[in-house]
Amino acid sequence: MNRPAAGPRARWLIFGAVVLGAVALAGCSSPRGSASSSTGPTTTATGAPSTTTAPTTTPTTTTTIPGCTGQNYSLSLLGSQGAAGTSELTLGLRNTASATCPLEGYPGVQLLDAAGTQLTTTVVSGDGQAFTDFAPAPVAVGPGQSAYVNLGYSDVPTGGQTSCPTAAALELVPPGTSTALRVAGRFTVCNNGTVDVSPVFGRHSPETETTAPPAP
């Protein structure tokens, strides 16, 4: 059986339905827009590069002169004198090494009894006596040459003292060394064993006054 042809109204309805269907289909197939990010570029905060700098140090140079150990000196009593209750000594440090050895500063001094036992000793570096009170200076002691030290002390009892101990020897340690050298003698030292000590000095030290002037 033949269907009657659709009229103009029916054709428009069919066309509209087709168009609406196409639009709906296009809307379903259209991709969704992606959300835009408002976040700026990611920045990783790091501290400045760590730089380790080795500390700058000045190399310390220690000069060791073969033979100059303190044991290369021989100690001798060159002279003594006394006046107004004060005794003055000059000691010589003779260099027995084959090298020139440097000395500078004040020596150590220790009084000893006849058995070698230490007596009370109070060492005063410099003091107001002309023969001990002068500035230290470097002394270069050549082979066979000597450096010198002046000592002074009171031999008169003071305070409640009725007598003073008498030392049978004294030890002297050259400055910059740990070697104790000994010289025998008779040293009556009062005032708690107080000994005024000069710095070492050389033969050509015009500012010093010695009790036993070095031989030329």
Side-chain angles (χ1 to χ4, degrees):
M1 182 176 66
N2 295 328
R3 295 181 181 179
R9 179 178 176 82
R11 288 195 297 270
W12 279 107
L13 289 175
I14 293 170
F15 177 75
V18 172
V19 171
L20 289 175
V23 171
L25 182 61
C28 292
S29 62
S30 173
R32 294 181 181 179
S34 59
S36 61
S37 173
S38 61
T39 304
T42 302
T43 302
T44 302
T46 59
S50 176
T51 303
T52 302
T53 303
T56 302
T57 58
T58 302
T60 301
T61 302
T62 302
T63 302
T64 301
I65 301 175
C68 297
T69 63
Q71 297 179 354
N72 58 287
Y73 294 103
S74 62
L75 181 65
S76 60
L77 176 60
L78 299 181
S80 65
Q81 65 182 23
T86 300
S87 292
E88 307 172 18
L89 309 176
T90 296
L91 303 178
L93 286 165
R94 184 175 180 275
N95 181 12
T96 61
S98 59
T100 296
C101 299
L103 288 176
E104 182 177 4
Y106 296 91
V109 174
Q110 176 63 56
L111 300 172
L112 305 172
D113 67 12
T117 303
Q118 293 183 350
L119 299 175
T120 299
T121 305
T122 304
V123 176
V124 179
S125 299
D127 197 53
Q129 311 232 28
F131 58 90
T132 60
D133 190 14
F134 49 90
V139 178
V141 189
Q145 296 182 350
S146 296
Y148 307 94
V149 176
N150 289 335
L151 306 182
Y153 56 87
S154 172
D155 54 11
V156 176
T158 59
Q161 289 181 320
T162 58
S163 63
C164 303
T166 298
L170 63 82
E171 285 183 338
L172 185 141
V173 179
T177 77
S178 58
T179 302
L181 308 173
R182 185 176 299 188
V183 63
R186 183 175 177 84
F187 315 102
T188 302
V189 184
C190 299
N191 192 20
N192 203 33
T194 298
V195 180
D196 299 328
V197 182
S198 80
V200 294
F201 58 95
R203 184 176 59 186
H204 302 294
S205 300
E207 75 279 10
T208 66
E209 177 183 341
T210 69
T211 59

PDB file of all heavy atoms in Angstrom, residues 186-211:
ATOM      1  N   ARG A 186     130.052  28.804  96.568  1.00  0.00           N
ATOM      2  CA  ARG A 186     129.506  29.049  97.914  1.00  0.00           C
ATOM      3  C   ARG A 186     128.687  30.331  97.820  1.00  0.00           C
ATOM      4  O   ARG A 186     129.261  31.420  97.714  1.00  0.00           O
ATOM      5  CB  ARG A 186     130.632  29.159  98.942  1.00  0.00           C
ATOM      6  CG  ARG A 186     130.133  29.329 100.369  1.00  0.00           C
ATOM      7  CD  ARG A 186     131.307  29.317 101.340  1.00  0.00           C
ATOM      8  NE  ARG A 186     130.858  29.557 102.725  1.00  0.00           N
ATOM      9  CZ  ARG A 186     130.387  28.612 103.525  1.00  0.00           C
ATOM     10  NH1 ARG A 186     130.324  27.357 103.093  1.00  0.00           N
ATOM     11  NH2 ARG A 186     130.003  28.887 104.765  1.00  0.00           N
ATOM     12  N   PHE A 187     127.363  30.175  97.852  1.00  0.00           N
ATOM     13  CA  PHE A 187     126.456  31.295  97.609  1.00  0.00           C
ATOM     14  C   PHE A 187     125.495  31.433  98.796  1.00  0.00           C
ATOM     15  O   PHE A 187     124.585  30.623  98.964  1.00  0.00           O
ATOM     16  CB  PHE A 187     125.656  31.085  96.328  1.00  0.00           C
ATOM     17  CG  PHE A 187     126.497  30.590  95.162  1.00  0.00           C
ATOM     18  CD1 PHE A 187     126.475  29.244  94.781  1.00  0.00           C
ATOM     19  CD2 PHE A 187     127.330  31.444  94.474  1.00  0.00           C
ATOM     20  CE1 PHE A 187     127.234  28.780  93.721  1.00  0.00           C
ATOM     21  CE2 PHE A 187     128.112  30.991  93.415  1.00  0.00           C
ATOM     22  CZ  PHE A 187     128.066  29.649  93.037  1.00  0.00           C
ATOM     23  N   THR A 188     125.732  32.438  99.638  1.00  0.00           N
ATOM     24  CA  THR A 188     124.863  32.701 100.782  1.00  0.00           C
ATOM     25  C   THR A 188     123.797  33.698 100.339  1.00  0.00           C
ATOM     26  O   THR A 188     124.083  34.896 100.179  1.00  0.00           O
ATOM     27  CB  THR A 188     125.662  33.257 101.976  1.00  0.00           C
ATOM     28  OG1 THR A 188     126.682  32.314 102.324  1.00  0.00           O
ATOM     29  CG2 THR A 188     124.762  33.504 103.176  1.00  0.00           C
ATOM     30  N   VAL A 189     122.596  33.204 100.144  1.00  0.00           N
ATOM     31  CA  VAL A 189     121.526  34.000  99.533  1.00  0.00           C
ATOM     32  C   VAL A 189     120.420  34.222 100.562  1.00  0.00           C
ATOM     33  O   VAL A 189     119.765  33.264 101.007  1.00  0.00           O
ATOM     34  CB  VAL A 189     120.963  33.306  98.281  1.00  0.00           C
ATOM     35  CG1 VAL A 189     119.931  34.204  97.606  1.00  0.00           C
ATOM     36  CG2 VAL A 189     122.087  32.955  97.318  1.00  0.00           C
ATOM     37  N   CYS A 190     120.196  35.460 100.942  1.00  0.00           N
ATOM     38  CA  CYS A 190     119.163  35.805 101.915  1.00  0.00           C
ATOM     39  C   CYS A 190     117.864  36.224 101.210  1.00  0.00           C
ATOM     40  O   CYS A 190     117.736  36.081  99.997  1.00  0.00           O
ATOM     41  CB  CYS A 190     119.667  36.943 102.811  1.00  0.00           C
ATOM     42  SG  CYS A 190     121.149  36.524 103.770  1.00  0.00           S
ATOM     43  N   ASN A 191     116.939  36.733 102.028  1.00  0.00           N
ATOM     44  CA  ASN A 191     115.658  37.243 101.512  1.00  0.00           C
ATOM     45  C   ASN A 191     114.902  36.186 100.719  1.00  0.00           C
ATOM     46  O   ASN A 191     114.520  36.378  99.567  1.00  0.00           O
ATOM     47  CB  ASN A 191     115.889  38.501 100.656  1.00  0.00           C
ATOM     48  CG  ASN A 191     114.601  39.234 100.333  1.00  0.00           C
ATOM     49  OD1 ASN A 191     113.581  39.051 101.027  1.00  0.00           O
ATOM     50  ND2 ASN A 191     114.628  40.046  99.280  1.00  0.00           N
ATOM     51  N   ASN A 192     114.717  35.038 101.353  1.00  0.00           N
ATOM     52  CA  ASN A 192     113.943  33.936 100.756  1.00  0.00           C
ATOM     53  C   ASN A 192     114.578  33.430  99.458  1.00  0.00           C
ATOM     54  O   ASN A 192     113.877  33.045  98.523  1.00  0.00           O
ATOM     55  CB  ASN A 192     112.493  34.377 100.501  1.00  0.00           C
ATOM     56  CG  ASN A 192     111.535  33.214 100.420  1.00  0.00           C
ATOM     57  OD1 ASN A 192     111.722  32.193 101.091  1.00  0.00           O
ATOM     58  ND2 ASN A 192     110.515  33.341  99.597  1.00  0.00           N
ATOM     59  N   GLY A 193     115.895  33.454  99.405  1.00  0.00           N
ATOM     60  CA  GLY A 193     116.588  32.933  98.230  1.00  0.00           C
ATOM     61  C   GLY A 193     116.392  33.778  96.984  1.00  0.00           C
ATOM     62  O   GLY A 193     116.407  33.241  95.862  1.00  0.00           O
ATOM     63  N   THR A 194     116.255  35.101  97.150  1.00  0.00           N
ATOM     64  CA  THR A 194     115.984  35.972  96.000  1.00  0.00           C
ATOM     65  C   THR A 194     117.258  36.224  95.190  1.00  0.00           C
ATOM     66  O   THR A 194     118.281  36.674  95.733  1.00  0.00           O
ATOM     67  CB  THR A 194     115.391  37.314  96.451  1.00  0.00           C
ATOM     68  OG1 THR A 194     114.149  37.071  97.110  1.00  0.00           O
ATOM     69  CG2 THR A 194     115.157  38.236  95.264  1.00  0.00           C
ATOM     70  N   VAL A 195     117.178  35.932  93.897  1.00  0.00           N
ATOM     71  CA  VAL A 195     118.303  36.125  92.979  1.00  0.00           C
ATOM     72  C   VAL A 195     117.837  36.992  91.822  1.00  0.00           C
ATOM     73  O   VAL A 195     116.866  36.662  91.126  1.00  0.00           O
ATOM     74  CB  VAL A 195     118.832  34.778  92.439  1.00  0.00           C
ATOM     75  CG1 VAL A 195     120.011  35.012  91.488  1.00  0.00           C
ATOM     76  CG2 VAL A 195     119.233  33.854  93.571  1.00  0.00           C
ATOM     77  N   ASP A 196     118.516  38.131  91.610  1.00  0.00           N
ATOM     78  CA  ASP A 196     118.244  38.984  90.447  1.00  0.00           C
ATOM     79  C   ASP A 196     119.039  38.440  89.262  1.00  0.00           C
ATOM     80  O   ASP A 196     120.239  38.174  89.384  1.00  0.00           O
ATOM     81  CB  ASP A 196     118.655  40.434  90.715  1.00  0.00           C
ATOM     82  CG  ASP A 196     117.892  41.035  91.894  1.00  0.00           C
ATOM     83  OD1 ASP A 196     116.722  40.642  92.099  1.00  0.00           O
ATOM     84  OD2 ASP A 196     118.458  41.883  92.615  1.00  0.00           O
ATOM     85  N   VAL A 197     118.379  38.298  88.123  1.00  0.00           N
ATOM     86  CA  VAL A 197     118.992  37.659  86.959  1.00  0.00           C
ATOM     87  C   VAL A 197     118.910  38.590  85.756  1.00  0.00           C
ATOM     88  O   VAL A 197     117.848  39.167  85.475  1.00  0.00           O
ATOM     89  CB  VAL A 197     118.286  36.320  86.627  1.00  0.00           C
ATOM     90  CG1 VAL A 197     118.972  35.642  85.455  1.00  0.00           C
ATOM     91  CG2 VAL A 197     118.270  35.406  87.839  1.00  0.00           C
ATOM     92  N   SER A 198     120.017  38.719  85.037  1.00  0.00           N
ATOM     93  CA  SER A 198     120.018  39.510  83.807  1.00  0.00           C
ATOM     94  C   SER A 198     119.651  38.619  82.621  1.00  0.00           C
ATOM     95  O   SER A 198     119.727  37.389  82.717  1.00  0.00           O
ATOM     96  CB  SER A 198     121.402  40.115  83.562  1.00  0.00           C
ATOM     97  OG  SER A 198     122.284  39.141  82.997  1.00  0.00           O
ATOM     98  N   PRO A 199     119.273  39.219  81.487  1.00  0.00           N
ATOM     99  CA  PRO A 199     119.177  38.406  80.272  1.00  0.00           C
ATOM    100  C   PRO A 199     120.579  38.031  79.803  1.00  0.00           C
ATOM    101  O   PRO A 199     121.575  38.617  80.235  1.00  0.00           O
ATOM    102  CB  PRO A 199     118.495  39.354  79.270  1.00  0.00           C
ATOM    103  CG  PRO A 199     118.828  40.719  79.757  1.00  0.00           C
ATOM    104  CD  PRO A 199     118.925  40.625  81.251  1.00  0.00           C
ATOM    105  N   VAL A 200     120.662  37.038  78.930  1.00  0.00           N
ATOM    106  CA  VAL A 200     121.970  36.692  78.360  1.00  0.00           C
ATOM    107  C   VAL A 200     122.445  37.851  77.492  1.00  0.00           C
ATOM    108  O   VAL A 200     121.648  38.586  76.901  1.00  0.00           O
ATOM    109  CB  VAL A 200     121.899  35.390  77.538  1.00  0.00           C
ATOM    110  CG1 VAL A 200     121.592  34.200  78.421  1.00  0.00           C
ATOM    111  CG2 VAL A 200     120.865  35.504  76.417  1.00  0.00           C
ATOM    112  N   PHE A 201     123.738  38.021  77.439  1.00  0.00           N
ATOM    113  CA  PHE A 201     124.304  39.085  76.606  1.00  0.00           C
ATOM    114  C   PHE A 201     125.620  38.602  76.022  1.00  0.00           C
ATOM    115  O   PHE A 201     126.228  37.642  76.510  1.00  0.00           O
ATOM    116  CB  PHE A 201     124.488  40.382  77.401  1.00  0.00           C
ATOM    117  CG  PHE A 201     125.374  40.266  78.619  1.00  0.00           C
ATOM    118  CD1 PHE A 201     126.725  40.584  78.557  1.00  0.00           C
ATOM    119  CD2 PHE A 201     124.844  39.842  79.833  1.00  0.00           C
ATOM    120  CE1 PHE A 201     127.539  40.473  79.677  1.00  0.00           C
ATOM    121  CE2 PHE A 201     125.650  39.734  80.959  1.00  0.00           C
ATOM    122  CZ  PHE A 201     126.997  40.045  80.887  1.00  0.00           C
ATOM    123  N   GLY A 202     126.048  39.272  74.963  1.00  0.00           N
ATOM    124  CA  GLY A 202     127.269  38.886  74.276  1.00  0.00           C
ATOM    125  C   GLY A 202     128.451  39.732  74.687  1.00  0.00           C
ATOM    126  O   GLY A 202     128.333  40.696  75.451  1.00  0.00           O
ATOM    127  N   ARG A 203     129.572  39.390  74.152  1.00  0.00           N
ATOM    128  CA  ARG A 203     130.811  40.103  74.479  1.00  0.00           C
ATOM    129  C   ARG A 203     130.738  41.560  74.049  1.00  0.00           C
ATOM    130  O   ARG A 203     131.309  42.444  74.694  1.00  0.00           O
ATOM    131  CB  ARG A 203     131.989  39.403  73.791  1.00  0.00           C
ATOM    132  CG  ARG A 203     133.346  40.010  74.133  1.00  0.00           C
ATOM    133  CD  ARG A 203     134.459  39.204  73.502  1.00  0.00           C
ATOM    134  NE  ARG A 203     134.340  39.149  72.048  1.00  0.00           N
ATOM    135  CZ  ARG A 203     135.098  38.425  71.261  1.00  0.00           C
ATOM    136  NH1 ARG A 203     136.012  37.641  71.785  1.00  0.00           N
ATOM    137  NH2 ARG A 203     134.950  38.442  69.961  1.00  0.00           N
ATOM    138  N   HIS A 204     130.013  41.824  72.956  1.00  0.00           N
ATOM    139  CA  HIS A 204     129.953  43.195  72.435  1.00  0.00           C
ATOM    140  C   HIS A 204     128.607  43.832  72.777  1.00  0.00           C
ATOM    141  O   HIS A 204     127.931  44.373  71.910  1.00  0.00           O
ATOM    142  CB  HIS A 204     130.171  43.179  70.921  1.00  0.00           C
ATOM    143  CG  HIS A 204     131.454  42.558  70.492  1.00  0.00           C
ATOM    144  ND1 HIS A 204     132.687  43.100  70.777  1.00  0.00           N
ATOM    145  CD2 HIS A 204     131.710  41.394  69.826  1.00  0.00           C
ATOM    146  CE1 HIS A 204     133.647  42.329  70.286  1.00  0.00           C
ATOM    147  NE2 HIS A 204     133.076  41.286  69.698  1.00  0.00           N
ATOM    148  N   SER A 205     128.221  43.790  74.035  1.00  0.00           N
ATOM    149  CA  SER A 205     126.984  44.420  74.493  1.00  0.00           C
ATOM    150  C   SER A 205     127.345  45.631  75.342  1.00  0.00           C
ATOM    151  O   SER A 205     127.561  45.517  76.547  1.00  0.00           O
ATOM    152  CB  SER A 205     126.148  43.428  75.309  1.00  0.00           C
ATOM    153  OG  SER A 205     125.809  42.308  74.539  1.00  0.00           O
ATOM    154  N   PRO A 206     127.435  46.819  74.741  1.00  0.00           N
ATOM    155  CA  PRO A 206     127.959  47.988  75.471  1.00  0.00           C
ATOM    156  C   PRO A 206     127.041  48.472  76.583  1.00  0.00           C
ATOM    157  O   PRO A 206     127.498  49.182  77.477  1.00  0.00           O
ATOM    158  CB  PRO A 206     128.081  49.051  74.365  1.00  0.00           C
ATOM    159  CG  PRO A 206     127.097  48.636  73.331  1.00  0.00           C
ATOM    160  CD  PRO A 206     127.087  47.138  73.363  1.00  0.00           C
ATOM    161  N   GLU A 207     125.746  48.085  76.554  1.00  0.00           N
ATOM    162  CA  GLU A 207     124.831  48.591  77.572  1.00  0.00           C
ATOM    163  C   GLU A 207     124.936  47.805  78.871  1.00  0.00           C
ATOM    164  O   GLU A 207     124.301  48.134  79.860  1.00  0.00           O
ATOM    165  CB  GLU A 207     123.391  48.552  77.056  1.00  0.00           C
ATOM    166  CG  GLU A 207     122.762  47.158  77.009  1.00  0.00           C
ATOM    167  CD  GLU A 207     123.165  46.381  75.785  1.00  0.00           C
ATOM    168  OE1 GLU A 207     124.053  46.806  75.058  1.00  0.00           O
ATOM    169  OE2 GLU A 207     122.557  45.315  75.555  1.00  0.00           O
ATOM    170  N   THR A 208     125.703  46.731  78.898  1.00  0.00           N
ATOM    171  CA  THR A 208     125.763  45.897  80.106  1.00  0.00           C
ATOM    172  C   THR A 208     126.972  46.236  80.961  1.00  0.00           C
ATOM    173  O   THR A 208     128.003  46.726  80.484  1.00  0.00           O
ATOM    174  CB  THR A 208     125.828  44.411  79.709  1.00  0.00           C
ATOM    175  OG1 THR A 208     127.066  44.176  79.048  1.00  0.00           O
ATOM    176  CG2 THR A 208     124.683  44.017  78.824  1.00  0.00           C
ATOM    177  N   GLU A 209     126.797  45.948  82.226  1.00  0.00           N
ATOM    178  CA  GLU A 209     127.909  46.095  83.174  1.00  0.00           C
ATOM    179  C   GLU A 209     128.151  44.737  83.777  1.00  0.00           C
ATOM    180  O   GLU A 209     127.234  44.123  84.333  1.00  0.00           O
ATOM    181  CB  GLU A 209     127.548  47.095  84.276  1.00  0.00           C
ATOM    182  CG  GLU A 209     128.611  47.239  85.337  1.00  0.00           C
ATOM    183  CD  GLU A 209     128.165  48.190  86.457  1.00  0.00           C
ATOM    184  OE1 GLU A 209     127.237  48.969  86.207  1.00  0.00           O
ATOM    185  OE2 GLU A 209     128.713  48.089  87.549  1.00  0.00           O
ATOM    186  N   THR A 210     129.333  44.228  83.642  1.00  0.00           N
ATOM    187  CA  THR A 210     129.624  42.884  84.144  1.00  0.00           C
ATOM    188  C   THR A 210     130.608  42.964  85.314  1.00  0.00           C
ATOM    189  O   THR A 210     131.410  43.889  85.423  1.00  0.00           O
ATOM    190  CB  THR A 210     130.236  42.006  83.045  1.00  0.00           C
ATOM    191  OG1 THR A 210     131.536  42.487  82.736  1.00  0.00           O
ATOM    192  CG2 THR A 210     129.364  41.998  81.801  1.00  0.00           C
ATOM    193  N   THR A 211     130.506  41.981  86.179  1.00  0.00           N
ATOM    194  CA  THR A 211     131.445  41.901  87.295  1.00  0.00           C
ATOM    195  C   THR A 211     132.744  41.237  86.874  1.00  0.00           C
ATOM    196  O   THR A 211     133.761  41.372  87.544  1.00  0.00           O
ATOM    197  CB  THR A 211     130.825  41.113  88.454  1.00  0.00           C
ATOM    198  OG1 THR A 211     130.505  39.802  87.972  1.00  0.00           O
ATOM    199  CG2 THR A 211     129.560  41.776  88.933  1.00  0.00           C
TER     200      THR A 211
END
